[in-house]
Amino acid sequence: MSERKPSSFVSHLECPKCNKTYSVEDINQLCECGSPLLVKYDLQKLRSKWSKTDLITREPSLWRYRELLPVKSEENIVSLGEGMTPLIPLKNLGEKVGIPNLLLKDEGTIPSGCFKARGAAVGISKAKELGVKSLAMPTNGNAGGAWSLYAARAGIEANIVMPIKAPKITRSETAIAGANLYLVDGLISDAGKIVGRTVHKNSLYDASTLKEPYRIEGKKTMGLEIAEQLGWQVPDVILYPTGGGVGIIGIYKGLKELQEIGWIGKKMPRLVAVQATGCAPIVKAWEENKKESVMWEDADTLAFGINVPKAIGDFLVLESIYETDGCAIAVDDEAIVKCQEEIASIEGLFACPEGAANLAAAIKLREQNWIKEDEKVVLLNTGAGIKYPYHPGEPAILQPSDDI
Amino acid sequence: MSERKPSSFVSHLECPKCNKTYSVEDINQLCECGSPLLVKYDLQKLRSKWSKTDLITREPSLWRYRELLPVKSEENIVSLGEGMTPLIPLKNLGEKVGIPNLLLKDEGTIPSGCFKARGAAVGISKAKELGVKSLAMPTNGNAGGAWSLYAARAGIEANIVMPIKAPKITRSETAIAGANLYLVDGLISDAGKIVGRTVHKNSLYDASTLKEPYRIEGKKTMGLEIAEQLGWQVPDVILYPTGGGVGIIGIYKGLKELQEIGWIGKKMPRLVAVQATGCAPIVKAWEENKKESVMWEDADTLAFGINVPKAIGDFLVLESIYETDGCAIAVDDEAIVKCQEEIASIEGLFACPEGAANLAAAIKLREQNWIKEDEKVVLLNTGAGIKYPYHPGEPAILQPSDDI
């Protein structure tokens, strides 16, 4: 077993639109041209220095991929043990819907009960490394909770703005972490404008989606883990509930990096962006073969995490779909709830609505034969169902002397 | 690396009170004498056949300890990837309270967000192996949710009776899993009586705490994991929030088994049963040096999971404390909430009230110098804070044009 101490092979930041480069030693947010920045690594060097067997004795957290993460010094790692979530076979459900090789990656079993912890762990760790003292971000709830908790652990002040309608449990997370919590009587886009003004006025670190380059590095570990868990093979299809889209961008980026260091072959999974019919800007853009999306008016779905009318990284999401021969598809709220109940009652897993949306999409794609019967298909369940309201109807109420 | 296929070394069931033995091939509940039964393994054989290095390539779930679990056939394993939860250093908090080597094992990152999943995974798997078709159980909520979900995955019918006052989120888990959910206008003891009558009348499997012998085997893996995560060393002290007490009994049993197969030395951690001042029957019994507890009248604490006025396994809990020179201690609800906020705002972890009770207890024990400054102390956080109501006060509400 290798005893070499792991360290980051990060090299610089690069703009995917204008190719301008930036240093990872300084605080950088968007490119001058307005585009998000991507983190680059010295993959040629890494190819010769890093081996799959190095991973065998490492802890089951996303930090097992230290070489492909941007944090240089171990002392800056802010971790609650996040990552290496289970990849669970959905055998019975898969047979029912005609996809026997159906799997679900369960991000419900991660700190804060939501995949946002990955972005927060890596984003906050790098912010700590860069000397950030105070940050601000808009959120639909889950990211705010996760970033507040990791910020608390790092000793960084967090200013969180979320819509009044965001799930109340995420208010609790944000508040108990000691963050400054603000509710806005509006949408996440309104929260974003408030944050934009305050980071400018008060020189705060802007932790908005893709306005700092490191969150995506945390999210990409979902892709790395799927490949490792399948024995360094990729599945045929990965379905991903797409709001801001950082997860799908990250998975694509992570798998490309694995290809470049020679750990997986040329095959890529077809990436599917799943949205709700009440908010489907990526689907519309994909159907029209566009490179960017248009703001979705009157966005509304119970799957709150994908209620994002216009994502700043939409062009990267669409690129990941086009480049992998994937697709984008919308499902309605009724199908989402039905699938949530089926996953729980058939497979024993209480998924969040966004995760359940993937099953609804997989069923449609199987019916269209876009997914073939023999294909290996991974659904990304982005969080725990317990974070959302669910209304089970009225159960029977007994007195102690009653029998059942 | 060994490629030998793991298999169970289970031998039989044994009564810890009257030593009568039973087969693991048949459905057995309590001993004829009324005591819970414990699972026994062929530890002498296991000592020569099993090596720590066998674990290196196994998945990070509790099933890595297959040899010390009661399920014989792999096809009966009902798993959602539970186990190998992180053991997280609480460095800042530890320094603050004078215990620099303070760690927290976080069971919030397990399916259903609660350690009950361990007992459910192993209990349901063994029930499946024994051919069980329908079970019933009383619950304060979390166990009912977890057992309903695993039962659904196994295709076993579940009949769950919980107090009306049990956390609503656990109703949702139980209902969405498709279990038969009944609310009783009373306490868990009332729910237990209803279940007692129905299992008798309808010949159902009784999955009540310790009335089936296998739940404890799932819980003991917390002890196995702590030892493995500390490099096959044990800490000086483990604090455990004690309701039914299966966790503390299990940790003690698991560590004894590790001693018998020679994987850890003679040292045992001092086990601490933490209860709430509103329901502290084990503490009272320990203070009076008794072997069993007395029913606690008018039990009441916001830490719902430890609101158990009389545990069927109380004598085993007390034995595990006496045998390890441990202790039992009660903390009040006010201290619990304060500690919950401290863990979140200092360490970034949203623990459940039961888990936070451990910190309150550790602080008291440190003040009494029962815990020494140089000791390694593990707090068992049994679940995610998001499963409980938390009232953060009223945050600021902004209009989109407002600044912060």
Side-chain angles (χ1 to χ4, degrees):
Chain A
M1 236 70 64
S2 166
E3 293 293 325
R4 198 171 49 248
K5 213 174 156 80
S7 61
S8 174
F9 281 67
V10 65
S11 59
H12 62 282
L13 300 172
E14 194 173 294
C15 175
K17 281 200 171 161
C18 76
N19 298 113
K20 189 171 161 62
T21 62
Y22 296 83
S23 165
V24 287
E25 307 296 331
D26 313 316
I27 292 176
N28 283 296
Q29 308 245 218
L30 292 177
C31 180
E32 283 173 13
C33 80
S35 166
L37 295 169
L38 297 179
V39 181
K40 295 289 173 178
Y41 298 83
D42 188 344
L43 297 175
Q44 286 314 307
K45 194 168 156 200
L46 189 51
R47 192 182 170 102
S48 63
K49 296 273 183 187
W50 199 26
S51 143
K52 292 171 189 172
T53 55
D54 288 341
L55 299 182
I56 293 172
T57 53
R58 293 191 187 173
E59 281 188 13
S61 84
L62 61 80
W63 299 101
R64 63 199 281 105
Y65 309 114
R66 270 293 297 286
E67 284 81 349
L68 275 177
L69 291 173
V71 183
K72 291 192 166 180
S73 174
E74 189 169 350
E75 69 189 20
N76 293 319
I77 291 179
V78 182
S79 175
L80 295 164
E82 54 289 329
M84 241 345 166
T85 54
L87 187 61
I88 302 168
L90 303 186
K91 195 167 162 282
N92 292 333
L93 197 49
E95 277 168 14
K96 186 178 171 194
V97 303
I99 311 171
N101 289 311
L102 188 64
L103 297 153
L104 179 145
K105 187 157 176 71
D106 185 19
E107 296 286 297
T109 58
I110 206 167
S112 84
C114 176
F115 80 118
K116 299 279 184 186
R118 290 183 192 264
V122 176
I124 287 287
S125 295
K126 191 65 190 178
K128 184 181 173 193
E129 190 154 87
L130 292 167
V132 169
K133 301 293 175 216
S134 182
L135 62 80
M137 72 186 300
T139 173
N140 267 338
N142 279 318
W147 281 72
S148 296
L149 287 162
Y150 282 90
R153 190 164 173 85
I156 293 173
E157 181 189 66
N159 299 282
I160 307 295
V161 189
M162 64 173 72
I164 285 181
K165 283 190 179 173
K168 287 204 173 169
I169 191 76
T170 64
R171 281 191 207 177
S172 299
E173 290 181 300
T174 305
I176 200 167
N180 302 317
L181 169 62
Y182 305 91
L183 304 179
V184 60
D185 188 10
L187 298 175
I188 187 173
S189 44
D190 297 306
K193 283 171 199 159
I194 293 171
V195 166
R197 292 195 297 271
T198 194
V199 296
H200 182 73
K201 193 175 65 177
N202 301 312
S203 301
L204 303 181
Y205 189 62
D206 191 343
S208 308
T209 304
L210 293 178
K211 289 193 181 169
E212 60 76 53
Y214 303 105
R215 180 195 293 214
I216 192 175
E217 299 304 295
K219 302 281 183 77
K220 85 178 177 192
T221 58
M222 291 187 286
L224 307 182
E225 290 177 17
I226 290 170
E228 183 177 357
Q229 288 171 315
L230 295 175
W232 303 108
Q233 303 284 329
V234 299
D236 298 293
V237 178
I238 298 177
L239 292 102
Y240 194 86
T242 306
V246 183
I248 198 166
I249 298 167
I251 289 170
Y252 178 64
K253 181 173 189 287
L255 293 177
K256 291 279 281 182
E257 288 169 355
L258 287 183
Q259 282 183 332
E260 289 196 51
I261 63 169
W263 285 20
I264 61 172
K266 282 187 184 165
K267 177 181 165 180
M268 272 293 223
R270 308 198 305 281
L271 297 177
V272 179
V274 177
Q275 299 200 301
T277 48
C279 180
I282 299 290
V283 177
K284 185 163 187 294
W286 178 77
E287 284 172 350
E288 294 169 357
N289 205 26
K290 299 275 174 63
K291 288 189 172 173
E292 294 192 10
S293 66
V294 174
M295 172 77 78
W296 191 270
E297 299 297 330
D298 302 321
D300 186 39
T301 165
L302 61 78
F304 211 80
I306 53 176
N307 199 20
V308 180
K310 163 78 179 165
I312 186 173
D314 55 357
F315 70 103
L316 294 169
V317 173
L318 287 158
E319 184 191 324
S320 71
I321 298 171
Y322 293 131
E323 290 293 319
T324 61
D325 297 320
C327 70
I329 183 169
V331 295
D332 62 37
D333 282 4
E334 196 184 342
I336 289 174
V337 174
K338 184 165 173 284
C339 285
Q340 198 184 20
E341 292 173 345
E342 287 208 315
I343 295 171
S345 62
I346 297 177
E347 297 290 353
L349 201 139
F350 191 4
C352 64
E354 295 85 349
N358 289 325
L359 175 63
I363 291 169
K364 279 176 96 167
L365 292 171
R366 179 69 193 96
E367 283 166 1
Q368 297 165 14
N369 210 31
W370 190 90
I371 291 175
K372 306 288 186 301
E373 189 180 4
D374 63 347
E375 291 190 312
K376 186 169 285 188
V377 176
V378 173
L379 313 179
L380 219 316
N381 176 43
T382 43
I386 52 172
K387 290 196 87 172
Y388 291 72
Y390 173 77
H391 306 290
E394 287 306 313
I397 295 179
L398 307 177
Q399 294 305 312
S401 58
D402 289 342
D403 280 341
I404 58 175
Chain B
M1 236 68 65
S2 167
E3 292 292 327
R4 199 172 48 247
K5 211 172 157 81
S7 62
S8 174
F9 280 67
V10 65
S11 59
H12 64 282
L13 301 172
E14 194 172 295
C15 175
K17 279 200 170 160
C18 75
N19 298 113
K20 191 171 159 64
T21 63
Y22 296 83
S23 165
V24 287
E25 306 296 333
D26 313 315
I27 292 176
N28 283 296
Q29 308 245 223
L30 293 177
C31 179
E32 283 172 12
C33 79
S35 166
L37 295 170
L38 297 180
V39 182
K40 294 289 173 178
Y41 298 83
D42 189 345
L43 298 175
Q44 286 315 307
K45 195 168 156 199
L46 188 51
R47 192 183 171 102
S48 64
K49 297 273 183 188
W50 200 26
S51 141
K52 292 170 189 173
T53 54
D54 289 341
L55 298 183
I56 293 172
T57 52
R58 293 191 187 173
E59 280 188 13
S61 84
L62 61 82
W63 298 100
R64 62 200 280 105
Y65 309 113
R66 270 294 296 290
E67 285 82 348
L68 274 178
L69 291 172
V71 182
K72 290 190 166 180
S73 173
E74 190 169 351
E75 71 189 18
N76 292 319
I77 291 178
V78 182
S79 176
L80 294 165
E82 56 288 328
M84 243 343 167
T85 54
L87 186 62
I88 302 168
L90 304 185
K91 193 166 163 288
N92 292 333
L93 198 47
E95 277 167 14
K96 186 178 171 194
V97 303
I99 311 171
N101 288 311
L102 188 65
L103 299 153
L104 180 145
K105 186 155 176 74
D106 186 18
E107 296 286 298
T109 58
I110 206 167
S112 85
C114 177
F115 80 119
K116 299 281 183 185
R118 293 184 190 262
V122 176
I124 287 288
S125 295
K126 191 66 191 176
K128 184 180 173 195
E129 190 155 87
L130 291 167
V132 169
K133 301 292 175 216
S134 182
L135 62 80
M137 72 187 298
T139 174
N140 266 339
N142 279 317
W147 281 72
S148 296
L149 287 161
Y150 282 88
R153 189 163 174 87
I156 293 173
E157 181 189 65
N159 299 282
I160 307 294
V161 189
M162 66 174 71
I164 286 182
K165 284 190 178 174
K168 286 203 173 168
I169 192 76
T170 64
R171 282 191 207 175
S172 298
E173 290 180 300
T174 305
I176 201 168
N180 301 318
L181 170 62
Y182 305 92
L183 303 179
V184 59
D185 188 9
L187 299 175
I188 188 173
S189 45
D190 297 306
K193 284 171 197 157
I194 293 171
V195 166
R197 292 196 297 271
T198 194
V199 297
H200 181 73
K201 193 175 68 179
N202 302 312
S203 301
L204 303 181
Y205 189 63
D206 190 344
S208 308
T209 304
L210 293 179
K211 289 193 182 169
E212 61 77 53
Y214 303 106
R215 181 198 290 214
I216 193 175
E217 299 303 296
K219 301 282 183 76
K220 85 178 177 192
T221 58
M222 290 187 286
L224 306 182
E225 289 177 17
I226 290 170
E228 184 177 357
Q229 288 171 315
L230 295 176
W232 303 109
Q233 303 284 329
V234 299
D236 297 292
V237 177
I238 298 177
L239 292 103
Y240 194 86
T242 307
V246 183
I248 198 166
I249 299 168
I251 289 171
Y252 178 63
K253 183 173 188 285
L255 292 177
K256 291 279 281 184
E257 287 168 356
L258 288 183
Q259 282 184 330
E260 289 198 51
I261 63 170
W263 285 20
I264 60 171
K266 282 187 184 163
K267 176 182 166 180
M268 273 292 223
R270 308 199 304 281
L271 298 177
V272 179
V274 177
Q275 300 201 301
T277 48
C279 180
I282 299 288
V283 177
K284 185 165 187 293
W286 178 77
E287 285 173 347
E288 296 170 355
N289 206 25
K290 298 274 173 62
K291 287 189 173 173
E292 294 191 9
S293 66
V294 175
M295 172 78 77
W296 190 272
E297 299 297 330
D298 302 321
D300 185 40
T301 165
L302 61 78
F304 210 80
I306 53 173
N307 199 19
V308 179
K310 163 78 179 164
I312 186 174
D314 56 358
F315 70 103
L316 294 169
V317 173
L318 287 159
E319 185 191 325
S320 72
I321 298 171
Y322 293 131
E323 290 292 320
T324 62
D325 297 320
C327 70
I329 183 168
V331 295
D332 63 36
D333 283 4
E334 197 184 340
I336 290 174
V337 173
K338 183 166 174 284
C339 284
Q340 198 185 19
E341 291 173 345
E342 286 207 316
I343 296 171
S345 62
I346 297 177
E347 297 289 353
L349 200 139
F350 191 2
C352 63
E354 294 86 349
N358 289 325
L359 175 63
I363 292 171
K364 280 176 92 169
L365 292 172
R366 180 70 193 94
E367 284 166 0
Q368 297 165 13
N369 210 32
W370 190 91
I371 291 175
K372 306 289 185 299
E373 189 180 5
D374 63 348
E375 291 191 310
K376 188 169 282 185
V377 176
V378 173
L379 312 179
L380 219 317
N381 176 42
T382 43
I386 52 172
K387 291 194 86 172
Y388 292 72
Y390 173 77
H391 306 291
E394 286 307 312
I397 295 179
L398 308 177
Q399 293 306 312
S401 59
D402 289 340
D403 281 342
I404 57 176

